Coordinates of all heavy atoms in Angstrom, one line a residue:
T492 N 11.6 -42.6 12.4 CA 11.1 -43.9 12.0 C 12.2 -45.0 12.2 O 11.9 -46.2 12.2 CB 10.9 -43.9 10.5 OG1 12.1 -43.5 9.7 CG2 9.8 -42.9 10.1
K493 N 13.4 -44.6 12.5 CA 14.5 -45.6 12.8 C 14.6 -46.0 14.3 O 15.1 -47.0 14.6 CB 15.8 -45.0 12.3 CG 15.9 -44.8 10.8 CD 17.2 -44.3 10.3 CE 17.2 -44.1 8.8 NZ 18.5 -43.5 8.3
Q494 N 14.2 -45.0 15.1 CA 14.3 -45.4 16.5 C 13.0 -46.1 17.0 O 11.9 -45.9 16.5 CB 14.5 -44.0 17.4 CG 13.4 -43.0 17.3 CD 12.3 -43.3 18.2 OE1 12.4 -43.9 19.2 NE2 11.1 -42.7 17.8
R495 N 13.2 -47.0 18.0 CA 12.1 -47.8 18.4 C 11.6 -47.5 19.8 O 10.8 -48.2 20.3 CB 12.5 -49.3 18.3 CG 12.9 -49.8 16.9 CD 13.2 -51.3 16.9 NE 13.7 -51.7 15.5 CZ 14.1 -52.8 15.2 NH1 14.3 -53.8 16.1 NH2 14.4 -53.1 13.8
R496 N 12.1 -46.5 20.4 CA 11.7 -46.1 21.7 C 10.4 -45.4 21.7 O 10.1 -44.7 20.8 CB 12.8 -45.3 22.4 CG 14.1 -46.0 22.6 CD 15.1 -45.1 23.3 NE 15.4 -44.0 22.4 CZ 16.0 -42.8 22.9 NH1 16.4 -42.8 24.1 NH2 16.3 -41.8 22.1
S497 N 9.6 -45.6 22.7 CA 8.3 -45.0 22.8 C 8.5 -43.5 23.3 O 9.6 -43.1 23.8 CB 7.5 -45.7 23.9 OG 8.0 -45.6 25.2
D498 N 7.5 -42.7 23.3 CA 7.5 -41.3 23.8 C 7.9 -41.4 25.3 O 8.7 -40.6 25.7 CB 6.2 -40.7 23.6 CG 5.9 -40.3 22.2 OD1 6.8 -40.4 21.3 OD2 4.7 -40.0 21.9
K499 N 7.4 -42.3 26.0 CA 7.7 -42.4 27.5 C 9.1 -42.7 27.7 O 9.7 -42.2 28.7 CB 6.7 -43.4 28.1 CG 6.9 -43.5 29.7 CD 5.9 -44.5 30.3 CE 6.1 -44.4 31.8 NZ 7.4 -44.6 32.3
E500 N 9.7 -43.6 26.9 CA 11.1 -44.0 27.2 C 12.0 -42.8 26.9 O 12.9 -42.5 27.7 CB 11.4 -45.2 26.2 CG 10.9 -46.5 26.6 CD 11.1 -47.6 25.6 OE1 11.0 -47.3 24.4 OE2 11.5 -48.7 26.0
M501 N 11.7 -42.0 25.8 CA 12.5 -40.8 25.6 C 12.4 -39.8 26.7 O 13.3 -39.2 27.1 CB 12.2 -40.3 24.2 CG 12.7 -41.1 23.0 SD 12.5 -40.2 21.4 CE 10.7 -40.4 21.2
L502 N 11.1 -39.6 27.2 CA 10.9 -38.6 28.2 C 11.6 -39.1 29.5 O 12.3 -38.2 30.2 CB 9.4 -38.4 28.4 CG 9.0 -37.5 29.5 CD1 9.6 -36.1 29.2 CD2 7.5 -37.5 29.6
D503 N 11.5 -40.3 29.8 CA 12.1 -40.9 31.1 C 13.6 -40.6 31.0 O 14.3 -40.3 32.0 CB 11.8 -42.3 31.3 CG 10.3 -42.5 31.7 OD1 9.6 -41.5 32.1 OD2 9.8 -43.6 31.6
E504 N 14.2 -41.0 29.8 CA 15.7 -40.8 29.7 C 16.1 -39.3 29.8 O 17.0 -39.0 30.5 CB 16.1 -41.2 28.3 CG 17.6 -41.0 28.0 CD 17.9 -41.3 26.5 OE1 17.3 -40.7 25.7 OE2 18.9 -42.0 26.3
A505 N 15.2 -38.4 29.3 CA 15.6 -37.0 29.4 C 15.4 -36.5 30.8 O 16.3 -35.7 31.4 CB 14.6 -36.2 28.5
L506 N 14.4 -37.0 31.5 CA 14.2 -36.5 33.0 C 15.3 -37.1 33.8 O 15.7 -36.5 34.8 CB 12.8 -37.0 33.4 CG 11.7 -36.3 32.7 CD1 10.3 -36.9 33.2 CD2 11.7 -34.8 33.0
Q507 N 15.7 -38.3 33.5 CA 16.8 -38.9 34.3 C 18.1 -38.1 34.2 O 18.8 -37.8 35.1 CB 17.1 -40.3 33.8 CG 18.3 -41.1 34.5 CD 18.0 -41.3 36.0 OE1 16.8 -41.4 36.4 NE2 19.1 -41.4 36.8
L508 N 18.4 -37.7 32.9 CA 19.6 -36.9 32.6 C 19.4 -35.5 33.3 O 20.3 -35.0 33.9 CB 19.8 -36.7 31.1 CG 20.9 -35.7 30.7 CD1 22.2 -36.2 31.2 CD2 20.9 -35.6 29.2
A509 N 18.2 -34.9 33.3 CA 18.0 -33.6 33.9 C 18.2 -33.7 35.4 O 18.8 -32.7 36.0 CB 16.5 -33.1 33.6
S510 N 17.8 -34.8 36.0 CA 17.9 -34.9 37.5 C 19.4 -34.9 37.9 O 19.8 -34.6 39.0 CB 17.2 -36.1 38.0 OG 17.9 -37.3 37.6
Q511 N 20.3 -35.3 37.0 CA 21.7 -35.4 37.3 C 22.5 -34.2 36.9 O 23.7 -34.2 37.0 CB 22.3 -36.7 36.6 CG 21.6 -38.0 37.0 CD 22.0 -39.2 36.1 OE1 22.7 -39.0 35.1 NE2 21.5 -40.3 36.5
S512 N 21.8 -33.2 36.3 CA 22.5 -32.1 35.8 C 22.3 -30.7 36.6 O 21.3 -30.6 37.4 CB 22.0 -31.8 34.3 OG 22.2 -32.9 33.5
D513 N 23.2 -29.8 36.3 CA 23.1 -28.5 37.1 C 22.2 -27.6 36.3 O 21.5 -26.7 36.9 CB 24.5 -27.9 37.2 CG 25.4 -28.9 38.1 OD1 25.0 -29.2 39.1 OD2 26.5 -29.1 37.6
V514 N 22.2 -27.7 35.0 CA 21.4 -26.8 34.2 C 20.9 -27.5 32.9 O 21.7 -28.4 32.4 CB 22.2 -25.4 33.9 CG1 23.4 -25.8 33.0 CG2 21.3 -24.4 33.1
I515 N 19.8 -27.1 32.4 CA 19.2 -27.7 31.2 C 19.2 -26.7 30.0 O 18.7 -25.6 30.2 CB 17.8 -28.3 31.5 CG1 17.8 -29.3 32.6 CG2 17.2 -28.9 30.2 CD1 16.5 -29.6 33.1
V516 N 19.8 -27.1 28.9 CA 19.6 -26.4 27.7 C 18.6 -27.1 26.8 O 18.9 -28.2 26.3 CB 20.9 -26.2 26.9 CG1 20.7 -25.5 25.6 CG2 21.9 -25.4 27.8
A517 N 17.4 -26.6 26.7 CA 16.3 -27.2 26.0 C 16.3 -26.8 24.6 O 16.1 -25.6 24.2 CB 14.9 -26.9 26.6
A518 N 16.6 -27.7 23.6 CA 16.7 -27.4 22.2 C 15.5 -27.7 21.5 O 15.3 -28.9 21.0 CB 18.0 -28.1 21.6
L519 N 14.6 -26.8 21.4 CA 13.3 -27.0 20.9 C 12.8 -26.1 19.8 O 13.5 -25.1 19.6 CB 12.3 -27.0 22.1 CG 12.6 -27.8 23.3 CD1 11.6 -27.5 24.4 CD2 12.6 -29.3 23.0
G520 N 11.7 -26.4 19.2 CA 11.1 -25.5 18.2 C 10.8 -26.2 16.9 O 10.3 -27.3 16.9
E521 N 11.2 -25.6 15.8 CA 10.9 -26.1 14.5 C 12.1 -26.8 13.9 O 13.3 -26.4 14.2 CB 10.5 -25.0 13.5 CG 9.3 -24.2 13.9 CD 8.9 -23.2 12.9 OE1 9.7 -22.5 12.4 OE2 7.7 -23.2 12.5
S522 N 11.9 -27.8 13.1 CA 13.0 -28.3 12.2 C 13.1 -27.3 11.1 O 12.2 -26.4 10.8 CB 12.6 -29.6 11.6 OG 11.4 -29.5 10.8
S523 N 14.2 -27.3 10.4 CA 14.5 -26.3 9.3 C 13.5 -26.3 8.2 O 13.2 -25.2 7.7 CB 15.9 -26.4 8.8 OG 16.0 -27.7 8.1
E524 N 12.9 -27.4 8.0 CA 11.9 -27.5 6.9 C 10.4 -27.3 7.3 O 9.5 -27.5 6.6 CB 12.0 -28.8 6.1 CG 13.4 -28.9 5.4 CD 13.6 -27.8 4.4 OE1 12.7 -27.4 3.7 OE2 14.7 -27.2 4.5
M525 N 10.3 -26.9 8.6 CA 8.9 -26.6 9.1 C 8.7 -25.1 8.7 O 7.6 -24.6 8.9 CB 8.8 -26.7 10.6 CG 8.7 -28.2 11.1 SD 8.5 -28.3 12.8 CE 6.8 -28.0 13.0
S526 N 9.7 -24.5 8.2 CA 9.5 -23.1 7.6 C 10.1 -23.1 6.2 O 10.8 -24.1 5.9 CB 10.1 -21.9 8.4 OG 11.5 -22.2 8.6

Side-chain angles (χ1 to χ4, degrees):
T492 58
K493 296 179 182 178
Q494 60 84 21
R495 299 181 179 177
R496 295 179 299 166
S497 67
D498 290 346
K499 184 177 185 306
E500 287 173 319
M501 284 190 289
L502 179 60
D503 288 346
E504 177 191 51
L506 294 176
Q507 177 66 23
L508 177 61
S510 69
Q511 299 168 357
S512 302
D513 300 310
V514 63
I515 300 167
V516 175
L519 306 175
E521 298 185 314
S522 63
S523 64
E524 295 307 313
M525 287 180 81
S526 59

